[in-house]
Each structure stands twice: as structure tokens, then as C-alpha cells.
Amino acid sequence: MVVKRTGNIVKFGIPWIIPAFVLLLWYLSTRPGMNNTLMPSPDKVIQKTFEMIKNGQLWEYLSVSTVRAGKGLLLGGFIGLTLAFLTGFNRILDLTLDTSIQMLRTIPVLAAISIMIIWFGIGERVKVYMVAFGVFFPIYINTYHGIKSIDKGLMEMGAVYGLSRFRIFTDIILPGALPSILVGVRLSLGTMWLLLIASEQIATDAGIGYMAMSARELLQMDKIVLAIILYAILGKLSDAWATWLERKLIRWRER
Amino acid sequence: MIEVKNIKKNFGKHSVLKDVSVKVEDGQVVVILGPSGSGKTTLLRCINFLENADSGRLTIGNLEVDLKKSTKKEILNIRRRTAFVFQNYNLFANKTAIENVMEGLVTGRHVPKAQARERAEEALNWVGLSDKFNYYPAQLSGGQQQRVGIARAFVLDPEVILFDEPTSALDPELVGETLDIIKKVAEKGITMIVVTHEMSFAQDVADKVIFMDGGIVVEEGTPEVIFSNPKEERTKQFLSRIISLDPNYSI
């Protein structure tokens, strides 16, 4: 019993030692009297947070960014899934498209940002498109892989037991490819925030990227730090969402 | 009655089945033996149209089809009269044991769900899995998964059940329980064609043993004749090799 309790303390305590230490260091190094132009003190950041919650800016920026990220994810995810299902099942389409897609994939997505701005301007669209572009690849590649690695034996079983094409799709192909698709979703969430932030810093009037950019120009260190913290929280939340989705959708893979 | 006549099958230039004919009477249990590459699994898969034969005719009951030129409807009809037990079980990983057994009934044979569940429960009870209805395949042992596979085949009430090396993927200690279930199916008088390497099973259960090698039927007969008095040299060689590997076997 005692052993178990220490076990729990160790298990839940240890991961937080380093964050706590960093926080302490942060606090000590930015106390009044120290040079704090390069780093605002924690209480200043907290103060700023409450201020921005009060005047509604924080919520506005958060929701603007989240909506952009979500739109981009849906758009890129939809295209990725659809294309992967097409190339996964049709040999001709596979031969026509797959090489090109694999080639496009090797482009660092951020390199596309200049051309995207010229094409789509600096408005709302370019951010969504950037996110969609980045999210597309992990989803496409993992879905494609998932479809290609579906158990041939199960397909045969479906044929032998007289399942319709629809049932083969819903009962064999989809569950077979799902774990792989979810890996793609999870990877794409990381890319999603990265691209959103990069494109939000270019020219906008709302969003967390805008908040960070404008704060940089005015040297509002507290706001910059807050933006970084927000990214960390959003990243963690979307990862938790992906894990939840995985557990919810593939519960049969117990043990 | 099931009859395969003059079936031929090539994979590229390699000829896997060279004019094979097999006849199985109703209620008979036929065991096909032979070294790997002899074409026994291919023969079984051709009966079910998992492979398309290059020529040959197949009769099941009153239905006769050309194995090469068969329509979709004929294929479906043949498949409705047969059931297949796979070497690797091939269960739906995302469905429970009972859902796996129900699937063929509900979507393949359009049996109402409630009735399908009843029949599936009965079949699972019969293979000794009455406490595992709601387990997913990942939670079952290999032997239990194969018993689900057998229940799934058996519940369809087919004219013939085809077994493709049903115990080859199992751990040695699980082979026995699975063979016992297959024996139980045989005792029900269901027509069966079994491809296997289990000699003692062949000897106990088979009404007829067919020995294949190099894409032809080398010899066929009752297990007594095949095991204790084979005529062909190739059969003798094969049996002596297998039996020296199988310590449980004694003549």
C-alpha cells in the first residue's frame, strides 16, 4: 500500500519537476531590480492574461485562430482522405497521382507561403489554405498506407461470406484503415498549428499569431510570452483530442 | 454431392493443378493430404472461387457450373452452399465473437437480426464459447478464434464446409481443442473437405483420404488403405517423412 502510494507520487510528480523548476527560475530571475526587458515576470504575464480576458481580446484571438485551424484541417483532411481512397483502390489513379503527390510532399510546406500570398492575398483564405496544404500530406499518406495494408484474408472472407461492397467497405476497409488514418490525423495536428502561426504572423488583424506579431513590434514581452503559452496549451489540447478520438474509435484493440 | 471435374489452374507458367477430379458424397469427410505446393489449398480455393480455375466443372447438389466461365450469380450461388474456415481465422477485429458469427447470416443470407442472434448463440454454445459472446477477437486465444471461425461456417448450414489448414496457425497445445470441434462437426454428418497436416485427425475422422502431389491426385482411398497399405511410392515416401516427425502417431 505504502509502496503503491509512493509509486503514484513518483509517477505523477516527476514529470512536473522540470516545469516547476523552470517556473521558479523564471520567477527568481525576473524579480524587481533584475533586468526584465528580455523576459517579463510571471505575474506580469498573468496580469496581462486577466486584462485580455476582461476586454474580450483573448477570447476573440483564440476563437479566430481555432476556427482557421479547424477549417484548414477539415479542408485538407477531406481532400487527403478522398484522394487516398481513390488512389488506394484504383490502380490507374494510383499510378497517375501517387508519384506527383510524393514529390509535392518533399517541399517544405513553409516554402509555399510566398506563392500562396501572391495567389490568395493576405486575407482569411491564405491561412486556411496553408493549413489545409500542410495537413493534407500526413493524412493522405497514412490513409493510403492504411488502405494498402488491409488484410487480404479479410477481403477474401468478405467475398466468401457474401458481403456487399458497401459492407466490405464499412466492415473491413474502414476499420482496417482507421488506426492508420488516426495516426495521420495526429501528425497533422502538429503541422496544423505550426502553419497557422506562421501564416498568421504575416499580415492579419486577429488571431494568436497576430497577437504575437503586433506584440513583437511594440516590444510587449508579456503578450509574446502569453502567445507562446497559448500555443503550448492548444497543442496539448489537440493532442489530447486525438488520443480521445483514437480510444473512442478503435476500442476493439484492447490489450 | 460435390464433384470437381478436370480442374486445371496455372499461376503464370507454373501449373498448380493438372487435371484434378474429386468426388465427395453427402455426409462424407474428405481429408486432402500432400506436401506444400502440391495444389491442395488451391483446389479448395477454386471450389469457392477465391481462385479462378483455368478450366473444369463443379457440381454441388443440383447446381453445376463451369469453373472458368461462371456468372456472378452462379458464384454467389456456389458460395451460398459452401462455407470456408480459414487458416488465419480472418475474423472481423472490430466485431465481437457473436457479431462475427451473425455477419454472414445477416448480410449474406438476409436472416432477420433477432433470429440470426439466436442461431449464433446456439452455434457458439456448441463450439464451447458460451461465455465469450461479447469478446473481441484480440481478447481470444488462437484456438478460441478458430472456434468462432468454425461456428461462423457451421451456422450458415451449408452443404459443405471447406477447411483450409484450420490448425496450422495454432500453438501446438491449442490444436487438440480445435480438432475436437471439427470432429464434432463431422459427427453431425455435414459434408466436409479438410486440408490438413494432422495425420491422426485424418485417420480418426476421414471417410476418404486424398493424397495430392505436384498438382495431381496421386492416390485416394479409405484412411486404412492409405495409411497402412499405400500403393504409390510417392504416398509411402510422404507418409514416412510426416510420421517420423509426428511422435503421437503410431500405426
Side-chain angles (χ1 to χ4, degrees), chain A residues 17-64:
Chain A
I17 289 180
I18 290 180
F21 185 69
V22 170
L23 208 65
L24 184 72
L25 218 70
W26 179 17
Y27 183 73
L28 289 178
S29 63
T30 53
R31 273 191 323 169
M34 312 281 277
N35 175 2
N36 51 16
T37 47
L38 289 183
M39 193 70 185
S41 62
D43 39 304
K44 267 192 87 180
V45 174
I46 292 169
Q47 208 185 320
K48 190 78 200 169
T49 312
F50 279 113
E51 189 188 304
M52 287 186 71
I53 290 174
K54 252 189 214 150
N55 66 19
Q57 265 185 333
L58 189 73
W59 176 244
E60 190 205 327
Y61 291 165
L62 262 179
S63 56
V64 164

Side-chain angles (χ1 to χ4, degrees), chain A residues 151-165 167-168 170-176 249-255, chain B residues 45 48 50 76 79 82-86 89-95 100 103-104 106-108 136 138-140 149 152-153 156:
Chain A
D151 190 349
K152 293 277 176 302
L154 275 181
M155 297 291 277
E156 285 185 346
M157 186 272 290
V160 165
Y161 283 90
L163 304 197
S164 63
R165 290 175 77 100
R167 286 300 254 190
I168 288 183
T170 57
D171 288 358
I172 298 175
I173 293 165
L174 220 49
L249 288 178
I250 41 183
R251 65 185 190 289
W252 72 83
R253 288 208 308 184
E254 282 152 287
R255 289 200 309 174
Chain B
R45 290 167 62 86
N48 220 333
L50 283 176
L76 199 66
R79 283 181 173 162
T82 61
F84 204 92
V85 175
F86 295 87
Y89 338 127
N90 289 343
L91 303 177
F92 289 115
N94 59 332
K95 290 187 181 298
N100 264 290
E103 189 70 37
V106 175
T107 64
Y136 287 102
Q139 298 167 311
L140 298 173
R152 174 176 67 184
L156 295 171

